[in-house]
Amino acid sequence: MLSRTADHLFWMSRYTERAENTARMLDVNYQTSLLPQSAAVAEVGWEGLLTISELMPSYRSRYGQGEVKPRDVLDFMVRDEDNPSSIVSCLRAARENARAVRGALTTELWETQNQTWLELTRMLKGKEFERDPGQFFEWVKFRSHLSRGVAIGTMLQDEAFHFYRMGTFLERADNTARLLDVKFHAVHSDFFGTASELDQEYDFYHWSAILRSVSGFEVYRKVYRDVIKPERVAELLILRADMPRSLHASMNELVSNLAVVANDHSSETERRAGKLRADLQYGRIDEILATGLHAFLTQFLDRVNELGGRISQDFLVPSLD
C-alpha cells in the first residue's frame, strides 16, 4: 500500500477522533461549570483544559494575559480556524484527508465525512453552537460515531482499514489520558488514592460529569455498583480492557492492528507498543496511585506520542528513493 494513502487514512481517523475528544473535554468542563462553584475554581478548570491540551501559549497570544473566560475558551477550541486543534480545524482536516484518498474510501464513508463538514459550517453560521453548546458537542460526538460505524460496516478490512483503526485508537489513548489529567489539574493536586469524605461528596458531581463525558456513567454503575470514587473511575478509564474508551482497550486495538500491517522496519515499534499494553494489562490501580496519577498519565502520554512518531516513520513517511 502507498505510504501516502496510509498517511491520509491514518490522519483522517485521528482528526475525526480528536474532534470528538475535544468535544468531550469541552463538554465535561461546560457541564461542570454549571455546578455551584466559585469563579476562581471555574477559571482553574478552564485553564487546566488549555494547559493539558498544550494550547495555553496560543490562547494567551490571542486573548492576552488576563483572566481565562469560558466564552473565549469555547470559541477558541470550537470555531477558531487558526487553532489546529479546534473542532472546526480537525473536521476540516479529516475531510481534506478523506478527499485526498477518495478512491480508497467507500462512497458511504466519503459522504459521511463530507456531510459532517457541510453541516458543521451551516451550524456555525447559524449560531447553533452559541444557542446550546451541550447539544452541539453531542452532535460532534454523534458524527464521529457515525463515521467510525460506517467505516467498520463498509470498508474492506485490508491494510487501509487497519491504518484507519490505528489512527483512531492512538488518538483515543492520548485523549483519554488528557481528559483524566484535566480533572486532577483542575483541583490542583496529584492523586494518591486518598480523599476526605467531604471531598468525595463534593466531587460526586464532577466525577459523574467526567464519566458521562466518556460515556462511562452507566458502565461504572454496572461494574462497581457503588458510589463514585476517584480511584475506581481511574481504574475504569485506565486498566479495564472491557471499557471501550480506556487506555487498556485502546492499546489492545493499537497492538492488534499494528501486528497486521507489520513490516521489516516496525519490530521496535511493535515491541514498545506491546510493552505499553503489557504495563496496562498487568498493572494495578493501587500501584499507579502509589506513585501519583499525574506522573503515570504524563509518562503514558510521552510513550503514546513516541509510538505515533515511530508509526509515521515506519509506515507513513514516503520513501525518497
Side-chain angles (χ1 to χ4, degrees), residues 1-14 97 100-101 104-105 155 158-168 261 263 311-312 314-318:
M1 176 178 207
L2 286 174
S3 57
R4 191 174 290 106
T5 302
D7 186 70
H8 284 302
L9 290 164
F10 179 79
W11 282 103
M12 178 184 80
S13 64
R14 282 202 75 163
N97 276 284
V101 287
L105 304 179
M155 281 183 76
D158 58 0
E159 283 191 336
F161 177 80
H162 294 297
F163 280 111
Y164 176 90
R165 296 287 282 173
M166 272 199 290
T168 296
V261 299
N263 63 23
I311 288 170
S312 290
D314 291 344
F315 302 102
L316 309 179
V317 179

Side-chain angles (χ1 to χ4, degrees), residues 3-32:
S3 57
R4 191 174 290 106
T5 302
D7 186 70
H8 284 302
L9 290 164
F10 179 79
W11 282 103
M12 178 184 80
S13 64
R14 282 202 75 163
Y15 279 122
T16 303
E17 183 73 18
R18 188 174 299 176
E20 176 186 348
N21 282 290
T22 298
R24 288 178 180 277
M25 284 201 291
L26 287 169
D27 196 31
V28 71
N29 255 54
Y30 175 70
Q31 300 296 341
T32 303

Side-chain angles (χ1 to χ4, degrees), residues 245-293:
R245 305 196 73 84
S246 74
L247 304 187
H248 190 177
S250 298
M251 287 308 302
N252 279 347
E253 289 282 352
L254 181 64
V255 168
S256 62
N257 283 282
L258 186 57
V260 177
V261 299
N263 63 23
D264 296 339
H265 313 293
S266 63
S267 58
E268 179 60 17
T269 303
E270 289 181 84
R271 187 190 72 80
R272 294 188 188 207
K275 188 172 186 300
L276 182 52
R277 195 259 299 265
D279 289 346
L280 295 166
Q281 183 176 350
Y282 297 107
R284 292 169 54 98
I285 195 63
D286 53 346
E287 293 173 352
I288 291 172
L289 296 179
T291 55
L293 186 56

Side-chain angles (χ1 to χ4, degrees), residues 79 81 117-131 136:
R79 61 190 314 152
E81 295 185 12
W117 171 247
L118 295 174
E119 281 189 37
L120 177 69
T121 53
R122 178 189 61 76
M123 291 171 76
L124 292 179
K125 284 179 183 175
K127 305 291 185 183
E128 292 187 33
F129 164 61
E130 286 82 353
R131 279 199 294 275
F136 175 80

